[in-house]
Amino acid sequence: MQLELNESEYKVTTEGITIELFPKEFTLFQFLYNNRGRIFSREQLLDKVWPMEYPVERTVDDHIYRIRKKLGSLQGMDIKTVRGFGYSLTMQEPSVAMTNPTTYDSEMQETMREIFVKYHQYGQGRSMLTLARQQDVLGYEMDPFYSIYIHFVQGDLEWLLNTDEVGIEERFYSLLICYMFLDDPKNKLDFCEQVLEKKILLPPQHKELEILNILDLYTLAGQPEKALERLKITHQVIKEPGYENFIPVTAISEMFVHLWMGTEDQELERMAKAIEALLLEKPFLREIGSYKVVRGLWLLRRKSWIEAEQLLDDALQVLEMSGFVPMRIYALYRMVHYCNEFPPKLALHHKYAELFEREKEDRGFHRLEQSLETVLMNIVTAL
């Protein structure tokens, strides 16, 4: 059994089944799951799950009862009562290792990879994660690229930093993208320029950073003119075969540059209509969410506070629906730094700044920020 624990929503998912827990139930279950096979007394569980609180031992019993009831439909897992001591979570291992015959079917493997590519293209991160969780049931071997990428989609910075399943060169780009929306954009721009200069990334990733990712960093770092210069190269590249799906996101970044520079509303409206036409043809969730962010910031500039807040909240909901955690964090990064430069109504500024900090905290970015910086700096300085 493979479980996925969603810390931000207190959900446990396996084989297409999702079960919602209350926060303390989730924390207790997560602790037992991470330490499965070990026995813990009620007092130990109180210390781990209710630190600095003063519940009684009966509290543990009540929570265990509710967890058992909610997770009762999951086969092969049991929270055992060890008389006179406490509780232990056990997971049943299969007695015979069987592999689905389709795992060895090359046509099946190619079909599944094409499905992942489509979900990736349309920004359907949740669909990708659901498919990944069903790997054993459906009988396919996940493509090596997507076996790494799904951790990026989830914002699983802990795995990207610490796994020994794949080398750092294969994880570097995902780590770099996460690093880009932490702290001061000027520092991140300098770092990305070093990465490009030293040609650390694999060629496709180098190209993507060079023509796309760095555009917003130029803008957020207060250098929109450089972004416009770089866009000349970007427009040349995206005319080439294989770059068609870069057209909407490039147009959105270009609109953001012009918004930052104070371009007149009439020109922004022309750009907005062109983007909307592109998104009708290519309804990619990440790009729809990103466009709503830029359009919402434009409304902030026009001091249409209510409409701006509604559109920005809608953008965050779209990105939440997409399941691409880094894209949601990046959207908040864009909002916060735009508001830092062009202060809106104070309540809105505080709202999105607090959402940004909370999102980073929930995903462990605050806790891992120093480790992330150390790993990336070590690689760049070593070359």
Side-chain angles (χ1 to χ4, degrees):
M1 177 187 296
Q2 292 183 341
L3 296 185
E4 180 187 336
L5 276 61
N6 186 326
E7 295 184 12
S8 62
E9 298 180 4
Y10 311 115
K11 293 179 180 178
V12 178
T13 302
T14 182
E15 297 183 354
I17 301 171
T18 298
I19 297 164
E20 296 186 23
L21 301 175
F22 289 120
K24 288 296 185 184
E25 293 172 355
F26 182 89
T27 304
L28 176 56
F29 175 76
Q30 185 179 43
F31 177 76
L32 289 171
Y33 177 72
N34 289 339
N35 296 277
R36 47 194 179 274
R38 296 175 58 189
I39 303 171
F40 293 93
S41 68
R42 292 173 177 83
E43 185 178 11
Q44 288 173 316
L45 293 173
L46 286 172
D47 288 341
K48 294 294 183 182
V49 181
W50 288 269
M52 307 303 292
E53 299 179 45
Y54 303 97
V56 296
E57 291 189 354
R58 180 67 189 173
T59 302
V60 176
D61 298 337
D62 291 341
H63 279 70
I64 292 290
Y65 171 78
R66 291 200 296 270
I67 293 169
R68 282 173 173 161
K69 192 170 182 180
K70 290 181 179 181
L71 302 183
S73 59
L74 304 184
Q75 300 296 317
M77 182 180 67
D78 185 28
I79 302 178
K80 292 184 177 180
T81 302
V82 182
R83 291 192 177 277
F85 195 77
Y87 297 101
S88 174
L89 186 143
T90 59
M91 304 282 287
Q92 181 181 348
E93 298 295 335
S95 56
V96 178
M98 275 294 293
T99 305
N100 285 342
T102 51
T103 303
Y104 305 105
D105 187 312
S106 59
E107 186 179 341
M108 178 69 167
Q109 303 310 308
E110 183 57 30
T111 298
M112 297 306 293
R113 187 184 185 285
E114 288 174 2
I115 294 173
F116 268 103
V117 169
K118 276 294 180 186
Y119 283 150
H120 184 181
Q121 175 183 321
Y122 280 90
Q124 293 180 226
R126 290 185 184 275
S127 302
M128 293 170 66
L129 295 175
T130 299
L131 197 60
R133 287 196 296 264
Q134 299 294 320
Q135 185 177 351
D136 292 339
V137 175
L138 296 176
Y140 74 94
E141 189 108 357
M142 196 180 305
D143 180 87
F145 170 81
Y146 285 108
S147 66
I148 300 171
Y149 193 71
I150 59 168
H151 291 281
F152 172 74
V153 169
Q154 297 173 86
D156 189 357
L157 187 55
E158 182 101 45
W159 186 92
L160 290 168
L161 270 174
N162 301 315
T163 185
D164 55 6
E165 295 176 33
V166 292
I168 188 64
E169 66 280 357
E170 296 173 87
R171 294 177 275 130
F172 186 87
Y173 185 58
S174 294
L175 290 170
L176 178 64
I177 296 299
C178 293
Y179 182 60
M180 282 170 62
F181 37 73
L182 298 174
D183 196 32
D184 183 0
K186 292 178 182 177
N187 294 337
K188 301 305 179 279
L189 175 60
D190 291 342
F191 185 78
C192 286
E193 287 182 326
Q194 288 183 58
V195 170
L196 289 174
E197 182 184 348
K198 296 191 176 187
K199 298 187 181 338
I200 296 170
L201 295 166
L202 300 172
Q205 298 167 346
H206 181 97
K207 180 66 72 177
E208 192 163 334
L209 177 62
E210 182 181 41
I211 69 167
L212 192 59
N213 306 130
I214 206 166
L215 294 174
D216 279 0
L217 277 183
Y218 279 129
T219 305
L220 294 168
Q223 302 176 42
E225 297 82 5
K226 286 191 176 181
L228 288 181
E229 275 299 310
R230 183 59 60 91
L231 271 161
K232 294 176 183 177
I233 301 171
T234 304
H235 282 299
Q236 290 175 355
V237 172
I238 63 177
K239 289 177 183 176
E240 299 172 10
Y243 286 94
E244 298 85 359
N245 293 331
F246 280 44
I247 294 173
V249 68
T250 299
I252 293 163
S253 289
E254 187 167 11
M255 182 177 173
F256 183 59
V257 175
H258 281 277
L259 174 65
W260 190 281
M261 295 180 71
T263 297
E264 293 181 0
D265 284 351
Q266 185 176 358
E267 177 62 14
L268 290 175
E269 188 62 52
R270 183 195 66 76
M271 298 176 78
K273 287 180 179 177
I275 292 169
E276 288 165 10
L278 286 170
L279 293 176
L280 280 175
E281 182 184 344
K282 299 177 183 291
F284 304 156
L285 282 177
R286 288 164 305 186
E287 282 73 12
I288 290 171
S290 295
Y291 169 64
K292 286 177 180 287
V293 168
V294 175
R295 182 123 196 167
L297 296 176
W298 181 21
L299 288 170
L300 286 184
R301 190 180 84 172
R302 294 159 65 179
K303 299 185 179 180
S304 301
W305 309 126
I306 294 175
E307 294 88 345
E309 183 176 13
Q310 289 174 342
L311 194 54
L312 291 172
D313 289 350
D314 188 25
L316 293 175
Q317 287 178 2
V318 171
L319 293 170
E320 176 71 24
M321 182 174 69
S322 79
F324 275 78
V325 171
M327 287 301 299
R328 180 178 162 87
I329 297 177
Y330 178 56
L332 287 163
Y333 183 75
R334 248 181 177 176
M335 294 178 195
V336 168
H337 284 283
Y338 183 87
C339 291
N340 288 343
E341 186 70 18
F342 309 101
K345 192 176 178 181
L346 193 58
L348 290 178
H349 195 171
H350 286 167
K351 173 181 176 177
Y352 295 114
E354 288 174 5
L355 278 174
F356 180 49
E357 294 304 316
R358 190 187 314 154
E359 194 79 22
K360 289 190 293 180
E361 185 67 36
D362 289 346
R363 302 298 177 176
F365 278 52
H366 275 314
R367 176 172 54 86
L368 298 167
E369 183 173 356
Q370 188 57 57
S371 298
L372 173 60
E373 184 167 67
T374 300
V375 168
L376 293 177
M377 288 293 182
N378 287 344
I379 293 170
V380 172
T381 55
L383 296 174

